[in-house]
Amino acid sequence: MSQTTSLLRWLHPATVPPKLRGWVIPLAGLFLWWAAYRFQWTDSQFFVPISKVLETGARMTQGGEIFIALGASLYRMLLGFVIGSLVGLAVGALLGVSRLAERMVGPSFHTVKQVSLFAWIPLISLWFGLGDMAKIAFLSLAAFFPVVLNTFEGIRSVAREHVEVARIFAYSRWQLFAKVVLPSAAPSIFTGIYLALIYAWLATLGAEYLLTSGVGIGNLLTDGREHFWMDQVLLGIVVVGIVGFILNWTASKVEARLLRWRSAQMAQF
Amino acid sequence: MSTAQITRIDEASALARAQEKGKEAVALAPTDWLHRIRPPSWRTLGNLSLAWPLPLFVLLVWQLASTYEWVPPQILPSPMTVAATFRELLETGELRDNMLISFSRVLWGFLLGAGAGGLLGIAMGLSPLAKDYLYPSFKIFAQVPVLGWLPLLMMLVGIDEALKIILISKAAFVPITLNTYKGLQGVPNSYIEVARVFGFNRWQLLRRVVLPAAFPPIWSGVRYGLTHAWLALVGVELLASSEGLGFLIVYGRQLYQLDVVLAAVVVVGAVGFVLDKALALVETRLLRWRRESF
């Protein structure tokens, strides 16, 4: 009796230390995967053991294939991201600062942004071909929309009082922009840039699937699928996940660093 | 009195009541209507007139470019051609059929993803234990974008309906889970303390304090979810489909019929616009109380 209760207590989710709880499900999943191979629960041709994925990973790392693919993808992504973000910042700032510009361009922008991103690819492929040029144009477009929106909203939501105080201090237009508007819009702008990074990464895969020329991580995935190489597909997913994770992590660190003053200010209150 | 008479009296009174109600409705409707739709002020008219030059200019340049054949029509058909194609697609019912297919995919995918995401978000938001166990796995799962899963799913479930619905639900699932969880986490402790003071039980606390307070972030999660679902739909239909709006685009592209592509792109944009606006409208309606308090 006491044995069963102790066993139950041991199995109860609350007994696992909080720090280890997050590992339970992933480890259970890996264990099931291993067990499925070990005890041959399935004979599907798609089923590959963990070891095979690791092997393929080691082979492609040593051969450098994965770095070439990843490098090509990241290069395009960063280029598109930078172009799209810069243009987006400029447009967003213009829309935010000038009411006239907002009224003239805003409605068109809001209409165009509703077109789902991938719907542009067929047009872009006709206009720019299937090469790097088309992919970079598409990635810029992907990064452009969130940056414009968030820059615009950030600038619009600058508190009226702050602007009034700046007026009292007789700030010039430039000072007003650099010392009041930009800092208070910064969090929103960062959200935009952060979203742009995520969107650019999503769009990289889309561009590589749909504009199939060239090398890239997306091509690695489609290649694996076409040849029924499950190990390569799974490896590709892991790499995509890791890149996504690193992008997220870097963006949040950069944001925390650049917006240090925010938490310091909060502490003063 | 005979039963017939009673029925007649009943009928008469019912009729009278209906008339009364009708009168009420007639009396109310115009004022209500007038109250709601005011003539646009000069200011809004001015704003609207400012919005038109840019699109009109683009259309004009586009039209000129095709009339004088600055670019070959295979690369840029004239706006007139696009409009004609659009009408043709409408008349043949091709557009409607493909739209209905796309809609049902988005609907099912979204409902599935939103339901699962809502449940997971609530579980993680309310129970620290569930959060400890599930959140890291959720993060791992969310790290790979929708299109990253596509090749794997194509191998596992083929390119049928299941593929589209799974991917669309994944697209909706992630933002809804995250926002529900964060929204519930963000409910200020002071609210909960006040509710404790009022002696609310768990259900009342959830129903009357926690959910309303967390509603705005949850709802923006729903909006993101729907936007992402629509994005995923178009992506999936472009890649693996033989019907739907995305397929219409691919099909037009393959035959070098850019007029079909452009018409379909316009429809994709319009649908996205309507979806987003509809959810925004629901939001302002559901959040009336919030506006009143400021």
Side-chain angles (χ1 to χ4, degrees):
Chain A
M1 182 65 195
S2 71
Q3 256 183 339
T4 30
T5 43
S6 70
L7 185 67
L8 275 179
R9 197 175 301 143
W10 189 78
L11 280 175
H12 193 274
T15 46
V16 183
K19 291 225 162 169
L20 298 180
R21 284 175 191 161
W23 291 92
V24 171
I25 292 175
L27 286 180
L30 282 177
F31 175 75
L32 280 179
W33 186 0
W34 173 82
Y37 182 70
R38 177 71 182 75
F39 302 109
Q40 301 201 321
W41 291 340
T42 166
D43 53 359
S44 160
Q45 54 163 329
F46 297 140
F47 190 80
V48 289
I50 304 176
S51 57
K52 186 135 184 252
V53 178
L54 292 175
E55 241 169 62
T56 312
R59 180 169 50 81
M60 294 186 105
T61 322
Q62 268 159 12
E65 283 160 276
I66 212 150
F67 295 117
I68 293 169
L70 197 59
S73 288
L74 285 178
Y75 165 74
R76 280 193 292 259
M77 191 205 89
L78 286 176
L79 206 59
F81 165 70
V82 169
I83 296 172
S85 299
L86 287 179
V87 179
L89 270 175
V91 173
L94 185 72
L95 292 184
V97 171
S98 152
R99 294 253 159 189
L100 184 70
E102 200 256 313
R103 279 171 201 160
M104 286 183 71
V105 183
S108 306
F109 173 78
H110 289 294
T111 315
V112 172
K113 96 174 180 220
Q114 294 299 340
V115 177
S116 178
L117 204 51
F118 297 114
W120 293 111
I121 286 195
L123 289 177
I124 287 176
S125 75
L126 272 178
W127 292 335
F128 295 90
L130 294 172
D132 262 12
M133 178 81 171
K135 285 175 198 160
I136 291 168
F138 176 65
L139 294 176
S140 310
L141 198 69
F144 173 72
F145 289 110
V147 173
V148 175
L149 273 179
N150 283 282
T151 307
F152 170 69
E153 270 164 27
I155 290 180
R156 261 306 142 78
S157 61
V158 173
R160 191 145 279 282
E161 301 86 47
H162 291 182
V163 179
E164 276 163 18
V165 171
R167 289 256 159 77
I168 292 169
F169 280 127
Y171 275 16
S172 69
R173 265 188 104 73
W174 171 245
Q175 278 176 316
L176 180 73
F177 188 73
K179 292 194 167 170
V180 180
V181 175
L182 215 52
S184 57
S188 179
I189 294 177
F190 272 117
T191 311
I193 290 180
Y194 180 73
L195 281 176
L197 206 58
I198 309 288
Y199 268 58
W201 184 230
L202 170 74
T204 302
L205 287 180
E208 285 170 359
Y209 290 163
L210 285 157
L211 310 165
T212 43
S213 79
V215 284
I217 205 77
N219 301 94
L220 208 74
L221 277 161
T222 33
D223 210 38
R225 182 184 64 77
E226 270 162 18
H227 296 94
F228 297 103
W229 294 330
M230 189 55 121
D231 44 339
Q232 187 168 325
V233 171
L234 288 173
L235 183 72
I237 289 178
V238 171
V239 172
V240 167
I242 291 174
V243 171
F245 174 76
I246 292 174
L247 289 178
N248 270 323
W249 185 80
T250 322
S252 65
K253 286 286 166 220
V254 170
E255 184 178 353
R257 191 159 169 75
L258 287 174
L259 296 179
R260 270 169 315 196
W261 51 271
R262 219 163 33 139
S263 50
Q265 231 176 22
M266 285 305 279
Q268 281 175 358
F269 281 101
Chain B
M1 261 196 288
S2 72
T3 34
Q5 266 176 317
I6 294 174
T7 340
R8 218 175 301 136
I9 291 168
D10 273 3
E11 267 174 12
S13 62
L15 198 70
R17 254 182 284 133
Q19 274 173 344
E20 200 63 32
K21 259 202 189 142
K23 225 182 276 165
E24 242 175 63
V26 171
L28 265 178
T31 42
D32 201 36
W33 186 79
L34 277 179
H35 176 71
R36 268 157 200 258
I37 302 173
R38 261 168 285 167
S41 67
W42 287 112
R43 209 190 152 88
T44 26
L45 279 180
N47 288 350
L48 281 177
S49 68
L50 278 175
W52 282 108
L54 180 69
L56 286 180
F57 177 73
V58 171
L59 266 182
L60 185 74
V61 172
W62 181 4
Q63 181 63 53
L64 284 177
S66 47
T67 351
Y68 295 105
E69 294 199 6
W70 294 338
V71 273
Q74 295 99 312
I75 292 195
L76 194 69
S78 79
M80 293 301 175
T81 321
V82 175
T85 307
F86 182 73
R87 209 169 42 237
E88 202 185 299
L89 287 174
L90 265 184
E91 275 163 8
T92 55
E94 224 174 317
L95 192 61
R96 190 200 51 214
D97 294 348
N98 284 309
M99 260 170 92
L100 284 179
I101 288 162
S102 292
F103 278 156
S104 86
R105 282 174 185 157
V106 163
L107 182 74
W108 287 115
F110 176 75
L111 286 180
L112 210 67
L119 286 180
L120 182 61
I122 289 174
M124 294 196 305
L126 295 182
S127 148
L129 196 66
K131 187 236 148 188
D132 283 346
Y133 273 97
L134 299 170
Y135 193 61
S137 304
F138 167 73
K139 284 284 263 189
I140 294 172
F141 173 70
Q143 224 50 258
V144 178
V146 176
L147 287 183
W149 295 108
L150 182 83
L152 179 70
L153 277 171
M154 272 171 128
M155 289 170 88
L156 292 179
V157 302
I159 58 166
D160 295 332
E161 243 11 60
L163 172 80
K164 286 139 212 163
I165 293 188
I166 292 174
L167 283 175
I168 292 165
S169 52
K170 193 270 172 188
F173 173 75
V174 172
I176 290 173
T177 308
L178 207 61
N179 277 36
T180 309
Y181 164 63
K182 292 257 155 92
L184 290 173
Q185 290 272 299
V187 175
N189 251 331
S190 48
Y191 288 15
I192 293 166
E193 278 160 21
V194 171
R196 288 259 159 74
V197 171
F198 279 124
F200 277 16
N201 62 30
R202 274 184 95 79
W203 170 245
Q204 282 174 316
L205 182 73
L206 189 68
R207 167 90 186 69
R208 301 179 63 177
V209 180
V210 175
L211 284 180
F215 181 77
I218 293 178
W219 191 256
S220 64
V222 170
R223 277 177 79 175
Y224 278 127
L226 195 60
T227 313
H228 285 196
W230 188 240
L231 186 72
L233 169 92
V234 176
V236 176
E237 283 189 346
L238 283 173
L239 281 161
S241 182
S242 53
E243 48 202 348
L245 279 174
F247 172 71
L248 207 59
I249 295 177
V250 180
Y251 169 80
R253 163 80 180 80
Q254 274 165 354
L255 300 178
Y256 272 87
Q257 290 182 335
L258 212 58
D259 43 341
V260 176
V261 177
L262 282 167
V265 166
V266 170
V267 174
V268 167
V271 172
F273 184 77
V274 170
L275 286 179
D276 196 55
K277 275 282 173 295
L279 289 191
L281 213 70
V282 174
E283 184 177 342
T284 43
R285 249 196 111 57
L286 286 175
L287 288 181
R288 267 170 314 182
W289 53 272
R290 208 162 63 130
R291 303 187 133 199
E292 280 160 18
S293 55
F294 282 103

